Amino acid sequence: MIPVTYYLILAVVIFTIGAIGVITRRNAIVIFMSLELMFNAANLVFIAYATHHQVLEGQLFVFFVMAVAAVEVAIGLALIVMIFRTRHSIDVDQVSSLKG
Amino acid sequence: MVVPDEVVFGVLAFMIVGSAIGMVTSRQTVYSALYLVINFISVALVYLTLRASFIGMTQIAIYAGAIMVLFLFVIMLLGPERLPPGRMPVWRRVVGILFGLGFMGELLVVLLWGQGQQAAIERPPDGFAGPEAIGLTLFNEYAVPLEVASVLLLVGIIGAVALAQRARKKEVDLLYVTAAEAEAVSAPEETTATQDAEEAV
């Protein structure tokens, strides 16, 4: 099989693409999808090291991360729908009423 | 014929990185979602090459299945293709990409500095991370975290329903919605029905 470093580099690249997506996009849904991408990068590192050290705990962590991500998506998308109903927009730059 | 592991990994990595870039750069939100499905499935295949069969299948069922269906439901509910496209100024995009690449460089330096040539991952024994092993560990040693996760899911469901309920009641007397807009908002009753169905998922 392949050295664990390869998986590490791949995960870093995925995480960076997700971070760039969060920074440069204004569509709230695309920002959410970029967040999912970053979750995936973290999960990939967990799985790679779990197989590397031959312990099961890393995979269980990924299982719980998936559960939390599912809850986060449900709540986040409900919030986006709410914001869209009141603002008729999901552009995050326009949701600035809490600006100080 | 046996394909070398490096080739399999290379093809999957190409698919993953390509679909991730496509997701971030595509104009239409629906295309972003479909690119993300490709990405999730490719990552699940990488999990399979790491002999993590249970997590790979969970990834396909939960991420590529349930979560992406939720995303597509919301995209079709809102219809963002009818919205005026919000354009980010070019300088902000460039600054964002520069910061992202700098961050990637930092991560690579921190993680890989002085690691040298690493040995390949040893092939785990058969049934290492199969459903049986995962299930036994999950229900014996991690039973309490599992219950906490289920409570969290329940709270998430209640929270999503509560958000939608409040929206329906107060819809009309929102301060910054004019009478005409309020009509336009409350008229399509099927929107709320679709949303309820989506939260049931």
Side-chain angles (χ1 to χ4, degrees):
Chain A
M1 292 174 76
I2 295 176
V4 76
T5 323
Y6 289 22
Y7 295 101
L8 215 54
I9 294 172
L10 177 62
V12 167
V13 172
I14 302 175
F15 191 89
T16 307
I17 294 172
I20 289 176
V22 170
I23 295 172
T24 58
R25 294 298 301 258
R26 283 161 68 177
N27 186 332
I29 294 179
V30 177
I31 288 178
F32 249 96
M33 289 197 261
S34 303
L35 276 178
E36 296 302 315
L37 213 57
M38 290 157 84
F39 270 124
N40 247 308
N43 286 350
L44 184 59
V45 176
F46 266 127
I47 298 280
Y49 271 106
T51 310
H52 182 61
H53 294 298
Q54 308 229 348
V55 291
L56 223 46
E57 272 72 16
Q59 308 210 351
L60 295 174
F61 257 88
V62 171
F63 189 75
F64 289 119
V65 168
M66 280 179 182
V68 174
V71 175
E72 173 245 337
V73 166
I75 299 279
L77 288 178
L79 283 175
I80 288 178
V81 171
M82 282 279 293
I83 291 171
F84 183 81
R85 277 194 194 159
T86 55
R87 298 273 158 140
H88 295 275
S89 165
I90 50 170
D91 188 334
V92 287
D93 278 6
Q94 292 186 6
V95 188
S96 54
S97 15
L98 288 183
K99 208 166 169 184
Chain B
M1 189 186 104
V2 178
V3 182
D5 284 342
E6 285 82 3
V7 175
V8 175
F9 180 79
V11 171
L12 287 177
F14 175 77
M15 293 279 291
I16 290 173
V17 174
S19 59
I21 291 175
M23 190 219 91
V24 172
T25 53
S26 67
R27 292 261 172 100
Q28 298 267 350
T29 320
V30 180
Y31 292 163
S32 291
L34 295 180
Y35 273 123
L36 197 57
V37 173
I38 297 176
N39 188 287
F40 283 156
I41 292 176
S42 307
V43 172
L45 292 178
V46 171
Y47 291 167
L48 288 186
T49 65
L50 280 165
R51 306 292 191 279
S53 51
F54 176 75
I55 294 292
M57 289 302 137
T58 316
Q59 164 99 359
I60 290 181
I62 294 186
Y63 267 116
I67 289 183
M68 290 321 294
V69 165
L70 211 59
F71 268 113
L72 285 172
F73 252 126
V74 170
I75 289 169
M76 299 196 178
L77 184 70
L78 303 186
E81 74 278 354
R82 279 183 274 117
L83 298 171
R87 298 296 298 277
M88 197 78 139
V90 175
W91 68 270
R92 279 172 68 179
R93 257 184 273 177
V94 171
V95 169
I97 291 173
L98 283 181
F99 269 94
L101 291 180
F103 178 66
M104 181 166 82
E106 275 178 13
L107 272 183
L108 287 177
V109 167
V110 168
L111 292 175
L112 303 179
W113 192 261
Q115 286 234 344
Q117 189 63 40
Q118 283 225 340
I121 298 178
E122 279 177 44
R123 192 193 164 122
D126 282 347
F128 159 64
E132 191 184 347
I134 296 256
L136 282 175
T137 320
L138 197 60
F139 285 106
N140 285 327
E141 294 171 41
Y142 290 86
V144 176
L146 186 72
E147 294 301 321
V148 174
S150 65
V151 170
L152 184 70
L153 278 165
L154 183 66
V155 171
I157 294 169
I158 295 174
V161 172
L163 279 174
Q165 288 285 331
R166 192 150 10 117
R168 198 177 305 159
K169 223 183 304 170
K170 288 193 182 165
E171 211 160 27
V172 186
D173 53 55
L174 285 171
L175 285 178
Y176 34 79
V177 176
T178 62
E181 275 175 338
E183 258 183 34
V185 169
S186 55
E189 272 303 313
E190 73 275 9
T191 356
T192 44
T194 322
Q195 204 199 353
D196 287 345
E198 153 233 319
E199 273 148 11
V201 170

